[in-house]
Amino acid sequence: MSVNINLHFTVSQLTDAAQAEAVAESIGELLRDEGIENQISYGAVCDAGVHYVSGETQFPLSISGFGRWQPAFEGSFAFAVTEAAPTAKGVIDWGYPDEEH
């Protein structure tokens, strides 16, 4: 069974623009591997001197086997973040548009 989900993530506690770009690139590789890169807008951001990476779905993703996929994706996301920036903090927020009326 497929589930429609929205995905938003933020990676904070980055030291500079180069580290933010490295994290965005690492996450981009994960998104490409998952086949969802073209469905998520993401990138490095600097706001008032604070560097972070942010991303979100452009429209709901339909994921088959979401109960198995979600923890695997979250683990891969955490690895992608720490591989590029060991002290960074990555947070994923999931939305379920079919349940929102």
Side-chain angles (χ1 to χ4, degrees):
M1 182 161 119
S2 294
V3 174
N4 291 321
I5 58 119
N6 289 319
L7 164 67
H8 177 269
F9 63 81
T10 305
V11 180
S12 59
Q13 299 179 7
L14 301 172
T15 57
D16 56 23
Q19 193 175 56
E21 289 295 335
V23 169
E25 183 177 320
S26 186
I27 291 171
E29 289 176 19
L30 168 63
L31 298 177
R32 278 189 293 281
D33 290 348
E34 293 290 331
I36 59 175
E37 181 189 34
N38 293 333
Q39 300 169 357
I40 298 179
S41 298
Y42 68 97
V45 180
C46 182
D47 186 18
V50 176
H51 298 276
Y52 63 96
V53 175
S54 181
E56 64 185 353
T57 50
Q58 298 171 12
F59 48 85
L61 302 175
S62 181
I63 304 293
S64 294
F66 182 70
R68 291 181 309 277
W69 181 84
Q70 178 186 14
F73 180 82
E74 288 174 345
S76 296
F77 179 85
F79 179 79
V81 169
T82 58
E83 181 178 49
T87 61
K89 179 182 179 189
V91 176
I92 298 175
D93 293 312
W94 299 102
Y96 305 92
D98 293 340
E99 296 177 7
E100 300 167 4
H101 296 345

